[in-house]
PDB file of all heavy atoms in Angstrom:
ATOM      1  N   GLY S 477     -30.190 -23.872  15.538  1.00 92.00           N
ATOM      2  CA  GLY S 477     -31.357 -24.734  15.643  1.00 92.00           C
ATOM      3  C   GLY S 477     -31.722 -25.096  17.078  1.00 92.00           C
ATOM      4  O   GLY S 477     -30.844 -25.398  17.894  1.00 92.00           O
ATOM      5  N   ILE S 478     -33.037 -25.048  17.359  1.00 91.00           N
ATOM      6  CA  ILE S 478     -33.539 -25.480  18.674  1.00 91.00           C
ATOM      7  C   ILE S 478     -34.706 -26.446  18.505  1.00 91.00           C
ATOM      8  O   ILE S 478     -35.406 -26.776  19.469  1.00 91.00           O
ATOM      9  CB  ILE S 478     -33.973 -24.283  19.547  1.00 91.00           C
ATOM     10  CG1 ILE S 478     -35.056 -23.456  18.833  1.00 91.00           C
ATOM     11  CG2 ILE S 478     -32.774 -23.410  19.897  1.00 91.00           C
ATOM     12  CD1 ILE S 478     -35.684 -22.395  19.714  1.00 91.00           C
ATOM     13  N   GLY S 479     -34.919 -26.902  17.256  1.00 89.00           N
ATOM     14  CA  GLY S 479     -36.028 -27.816  16.998  1.00 89.00           C
ATOM     15  C   GLY S 479     -35.879 -29.125  17.762  1.00 89.00           C
ATOM     16  O   GLY S 479     -34.815 -29.759  17.736  1.00 89.00           O
ATOM     17  N   GLY S 480     -36.922 -29.509  18.457  1.00 85.00           N
ATOM     18  CA  GLY S 480     -36.900 -30.750  19.217  1.00 85.00           C
ATOM     19  C   GLY S 480     -36.197 -30.666  20.557  1.00 85.00           C
ATOM     20  O   GLY S 480     -36.076 -31.680  21.261  1.00 85.00           O
ATOM     21  N   ALA S 481     -35.748 -29.481  20.938  1.00 86.00           N
ATOM     22  CA  ALA S 481     -35.027 -29.336  22.207  1.00 86.00           C
ATOM     23  C   ALA S 481     -35.990 -29.357  23.385  1.00 86.00           C
ATOM     24  O   ALA S 481     -37.128 -28.884  23.297  1.00 86.00           O
ATOM     25  CB  ALA S 481     -34.237 -28.030  22.211  1.00 86.00           C
ATOM     26  N   THR S 482     -35.528 -29.894  24.495  1.00 89.00           N
ATOM     27  CA  THR S 482     -36.315 -29.878  25.736  1.00 89.00           C
ATOM     28  C   THR S 482     -36.355 -28.453  26.266  1.00 89.00           C
ATOM     29  O   THR S 482     -35.525 -27.610  25.885  1.00 89.00           O
ATOM     30  CB  THR S 482     -35.678 -30.791  26.783  1.00 89.00           C
ATOM     31  OG1 THR S 482     -34.378 -30.256  27.132  1.00 89.00           O
ATOM     32  CG2 THR S 482     -35.528 -32.218  26.255  1.00 89.00           C
ATOM     33  N   PRO S 483     -37.305 -28.152  27.172  1.00 89.00           N
ATOM     34  CA  PRO S 483     -37.326 -26.812  27.777  1.00 89.00           C
ATOM     35  C   PRO S 483     -36.000 -26.450  28.422  1.00 89.00           C
ATOM     36  O   PRO S 483     -35.551 -25.294  28.347  1.00 89.00           O
ATOM     37  CB  PRO S 483     -38.450 -26.918  28.811  1.00 89.00           C
ATOM     38  CG  PRO S 483     -39.369 -27.947  28.234  1.00 89.00           C
ATOM     39  CD  PRO S 483     -38.484 -28.948  27.569  1.00 89.00           C
ATOM     40  N   GLU S 484     -35.354 -27.438  29.054  1.00 90.00           N
ATOM     41  CA  GLU S 484     -34.057 -27.177  29.688  1.00 90.00           C
ATOM     42  C   GLU S 484     -33.015 -26.783  28.650  1.00 90.00           C
ATOM     43  O   GLU S 484     -32.249 -25.822  28.835  1.00 90.00           O
ATOM     44  CB  GLU S 484     -33.583 -28.429  30.431  1.00 90.00           C
ATOM     45  CG  GLU S 484     -32.176 -28.295  31.017  1.00 90.00           C
ATOM     46  CD  GLU S 484     -31.602 -29.620  31.484  1.00 90.00           C
ATOM     47  OE1 GLU S 484     -32.306 -30.637  31.449  1.00 90.00           O
ATOM     48  OE2 GLU S 484     -30.417 -29.618  31.866  1.00 90.00           O
ATOM     49  N   ALA S 485     -33.002 -27.534  27.522  1.00 90.00           N
ATOM     50  CA  ALA S 485     -32.035 -27.247  26.468  1.00 90.00           C
ATOM     51  C   ALA S 485     -32.302 -25.884  25.830  1.00 90.00           C
ATOM     52  O   ALA S 485     -31.367 -25.117  25.560  1.00 90.00           O
ATOM     53  CB  ALA S 485     -32.083 -28.333  25.407  1.00 90.00           C
ATOM     54  N   GLN S 486     -33.586 -25.569  25.603  1.00 90.00           N
ATOM     55  CA  GLN S 486     -33.922 -24.270  25.015  1.00 90.00           C
ATOM     56  C   GLN S 486     -33.470 -23.127  25.908  1.00 90.00           C
ATOM     57  O   GLN S 486     -32.952 -22.119  25.425  1.00 90.00           O
ATOM     58  CB  GLN S 486     -35.426 -24.182  24.764  1.00 90.00           C
ATOM     59  CG  GLN S 486     -35.920 -25.049  23.622  1.00 90.00           C
ATOM     60  CD  GLN S 486     -37.345 -24.706  23.208  1.00 90.00           C
ATOM     61  OE1 GLN S 486     -37.791 -23.583  23.391  1.00 90.00           O
ATOM     62  NE2 GLN S 486     -38.066 -25.668  22.648  1.00 90.00           N
ATOM     63  N   ALA S 487     -33.652 -23.289  27.207  1.00 91.00           N
ATOM     64  CA  ALA S 487     -33.247 -22.240  28.143  1.00 91.00           C
ATOM     65  C   ALA S 487     -31.725 -22.073  28.149  1.00 91.00           C
ATOM     66  O   ALA S 487     -31.205 -20.940  28.150  1.00 91.00           O
ATOM     67  CB  ALA S 487     -33.739 -22.574  29.541  1.00 91.00           C
ATOM     68  N   ALA S 488     -31.017 -23.200  28.127  1.00 92.00           N
ATOM     69  CA  ALA S 488     -29.557 -23.135  28.154  1.00 92.00           C
ATOM     70  C   ALA S 488     -29.003 -22.525  26.876  1.00 92.00           C
ATOM     71  O   ALA S 488     -28.092 -21.677  26.913  1.00 92.00           O
ATOM     72  CB  ALA S 488     -28.985 -24.535  28.359  1.00 92.00           C
ATOM     73  N   ILE S 489     -29.571 -22.944  25.746  1.00 91.00           N
ATOM     74  CA  ILE S 489     -29.102 -22.395  24.469  1.00 91.00           C
ATOM     75  C   ILE S 489     -29.456 -20.915  24.371  1.00 91.00           C
ATOM     76  O   ILE S 489     -28.665 -20.097  23.902  1.00 91.00           O
ATOM     77  CB  ILE S 489     -29.695 -23.185  23.291  1.00 91.00           C
ATOM     78  CG1 ILE S 489     -29.144 -24.617  23.285  1.00 91.00           C
ATOM     79  CG2 ILE S 489     -29.391 -22.497  21.960  1.00 91.00           C
ATOM     80  CD1 ILE S 489     -29.803 -25.536  22.277  1.00 91.00           C
ATOM     81  N   GLY S 490     -30.655 -20.561  24.841  1.00 91.00           N
ATOM     82  CA  GLY S 490     -31.054 -19.158  24.832  1.00 91.00           C
ATOM     83  C   GLY S 490     -30.120 -18.291  25.657  1.00 91.00           C
ATOM     84  O   GLY S 490     -29.754 -17.182  25.243  1.00 91.00           O
ATOM     85  N   ALA S 491     -29.709 -18.804  26.829  1.00 93.00           N
ATOM     86  CA  ALA S 491     -28.776 -18.047  27.677  1.00 93.00           C
ATOM     87  C   ALA S 491     -27.421 -17.907  26.994  1.00 93.00           C
ATOM     88  O   ALA S 491     -26.769 -16.851  27.072  1.00 93.00           O
ATOM     89  CB  ALA S 491     -28.623 -18.749  29.025  1.00 93.00           C
ATOM     90  N   ALA S 492     -27.001 -18.966  26.305  1.00 93.00           N
ATOM     91  CA  ALA S 492     -25.723 -18.912  25.596  1.00 93.00           C
ATOM     92  C   ALA S 492     -25.774 -17.892  24.458  1.00 93.00           C
ATOM     93  O   ALA S 492     -24.807 -17.161  24.216  1.00 93.00           O
ATOM     94  CB  ALA S 492     -25.363 -20.288  25.059  1.00 93.00           C
ATOM     95  N   LEU S 493     -26.912 -17.815  23.738  1.00 92.00           N
ATOM     96  CA  LEU S 493     -27.042 -16.868  22.630  1.00 92.00           C
ATOM     97  C   LEU S 493     -26.925 -15.431  23.117  1.00 92.00           C
ATOM     98  O   LEU S 493     -26.393 -14.562  22.411  1.00 92.00           O
ATOM     99  CB  LEU S 493     -28.379 -17.060  21.915  1.00 92.00           C
ATOM    100  CG  LEU S 493     -28.604 -18.392  21.185  1.00 92.00           C
ATOM    101  CD1 LEU S 493     -29.940 -18.396  20.462  1.00 92.00           C
ATOM    102  CD2 LEU S 493     -27.479 -18.685  20.205  1.00 92.00           C
ATOM    103  N   GLU S 494     -27.403 -15.172  24.330  1.00 91.00           N
ATOM    104  CA  GLU S 494     -27.339 -13.818  24.872  1.00 91.00           C
ATOM    105  C   GLU S 494     -25.905 -13.364  25.124  1.00 91.00           C
ATOM    106  O   GLU S 494     -25.619 -12.163  25.142  1.00 91.00           O
ATOM    107  CB  GLU S 494     -28.155 -13.728  26.162  1.00 91.00           C
ATOM    108  CG  GLU S 494     -29.659 -13.835  25.930  1.00 91.00           C
ATOM    109  CD  GLU S 494     -30.454 -13.712  27.217  1.00 91.00           C
ATOM    110  OE1 GLU S 494     -29.813 -13.496  28.273  1.00 91.00           O
ATOM    111  OE2 GLU S 494     -31.683 -13.824  27.176  1.00 91.00           O
ATOM    112  N   THR S 495     -24.986 -14.323  25.300  1.00 91.00           N
ATOM    113  CA  THR S 495     -23.584 -13.948  25.520  1.00 91.00           C
ATOM    114  C   THR S 495     -22.934 -13.460  24.226  1.00 91.00           C
ATOM    115  O   THR S 495     -21.920 -12.760  24.266  1.00 91.00           O
ATOM    116  CB  THR S 495     -22.773 -15.142  26.046  1.00 91.00           C
ATOM    117  OG1 THR S 495     -22.629 -16.135  25.014  1.00 91.00           O
ATOM    118  CG2 THR S 495     -23.437 -15.755  27.266  1.00 91.00           C
ATOM    119  N   LYS S 496     -23.477 -13.872  23.061  1.00 90.00           N
ATOM    120  CA  LYS S 496     -22.932 -13.538  21.741  1.00 90.00           C
ATOM    121  C   LYS S 496     -21.506 -14.029  21.561  1.00 90.00           C
ATOM    122  O   LYS S 496     -20.771 -13.550  20.678  1.00 90.00           O
ATOM    123  CB  LYS S 496     -23.013 -12.023  21.474  1.00 90.00           C
ATOM    124  CG  LYS S 496     -24.428 -11.479  21.447  1.00 90.00           C
ATOM    125  CD  LYS S 496     -24.451 -10.003  21.084  1.00 90.00           C
ATOM    126  CE  LYS S 496     -25.880  -9.471  21.035  1.00 90.00           C
ATOM    127  NZ  LYS S 496     -25.926  -8.032  20.662  1.00 90.00           N
TER     128      LYS S 496
END
Side-chain angles (χ1 to χ4, degrees):
I478 58 171
T482 64
E484 175 192 355
Q486 288 193 27
I489 294 172
L493 295 183
E494 290 181 3
T495 69
K496 298 184 179 181

